[in-house]
């Protein structure tokens, strides 16, 4: 019975997405693993990108810096992600010397074109994005030790409470905007392993409206019904706040553009 209901909910979810999505000119930057679609048309002259979830593939963010006179704020407390950014800093000014590894989520630093990227073009905030700030929370490790992404919701381990974890401090989009005096947020990218279900509703509650929201609803990869209901609820809230779901065919990554 549960499998039938899950299949039905998935079918309804995809039909709703098809019904409400719109066609807009979009651009793709980055690798198949770390890349994202976005709307170039709605960017300001000096766009700001807040990237929640770094991992070891920041091809989207580096190419964004190379294509636009922009500022990028990375947000991730994962030790391997911090190391990856540190290596990028060490290699600033160097040209791309190898191709991206399109079969991996761990990119060689030499695959990034860092010849024109300056140190003050980006900043790493070593905290986890959430709906509250300065909490010390469990950041659960992935079941495969080769993978980098930790999770607050622990969906990767089927929400088990017996999973290994590290403890990290949280922050919010509101806190980052206030702390770094960001006057306009062009793009909010969320690849935060389930925490998007807390971050986006809190964002809207605080009346913070990025021009675009690029979000992966990670929990949709599980065989549970609740993630689909959570996502539909967030889709509705975004629709109420004049966000359009833009067709990208990149499930479970979604692009929302404010109308």
């Amino acid at each position: 019975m549960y499998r039938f209901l899950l299949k039905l909910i998935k079918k309804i979810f995809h039909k709703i997405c098809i019904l409400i999505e719109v066609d807009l000119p979009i651009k793709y930057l980055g690798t198949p693993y770390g890349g994202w679609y976005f709307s170039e048309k709605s960017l300001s002259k000096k766009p700001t990108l807040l990237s929640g979830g770094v991992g070891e593939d920041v091809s989207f963010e580096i190419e964004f810096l190379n294509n636009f006179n922009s500022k990028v704020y990375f947000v991730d407390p994962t030790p391997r992600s911090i190391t990856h950014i540190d290596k990028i800093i060490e290699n600033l000014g160097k040209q791309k010397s190898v191709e991206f590894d399109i079969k991996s989520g761990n990119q060689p630093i030499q695959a990034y074109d860092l010849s024109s990227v300056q140190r003050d073009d980006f900043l790493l905030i070593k905290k986890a994005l959430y709906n509250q700030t300065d909490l010390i929370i469990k950041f659960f490790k992935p079941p495969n030790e080769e993978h980098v992404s930790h999770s607050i919701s622990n969906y990767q381990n089927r929400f088990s409470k017996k999973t290994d974890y590290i403890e990290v401090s949280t922050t919010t989009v509101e806190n980052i905007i206030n702390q770094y005096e960001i006057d306009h947020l062009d793009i909010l990218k969320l690849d935060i392993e389930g925490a998007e279900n807390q971050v986006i509703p809190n964002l809207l509650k605080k009346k913070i409206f990025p021009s675009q929201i690029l979000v992966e609803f990670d929990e949709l990869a599980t065989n549970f019904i609740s993630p689909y209901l959570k996502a539909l609820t967030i889709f509705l809230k975004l629709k109420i706040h004049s966000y359009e779901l833009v067709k990208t065919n990149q499930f479970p990554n979604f692009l929302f553009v404010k109308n």
Side-chain angles (χ1 to χ4, degrees), residues 42-57:
S42 67
L43 296 179
S44 60
K45 290 183 178 180
K46 187 174 175 58
T48 300
L49 163 61
L50 198 163
S51 179
V54 174
E56 295 170 320
D57 184 336

Side-chain angles (χ1 to χ4, degrees), residues 200-218:
I200 295 177
N202 183 64
L203 191 79
L204 300 177
K205 181 181 178 182
K206 297 295 184 178
K207 300 187 184 303
I208 298 170
F209 305 117
S211 297
Q212 302 178 55
I213 300 175
L214 288 51
V215 54
E216 180 175 5
F217 284 90
D218 295 277

Side-chain angles (χ1 to χ4, degrees), residues 42 48-49 136 141 151 244:
S42 67
T48 300
L49 163 61
I136 302 299
K141 296 181 179 180
S151 169
E244 297 281 5

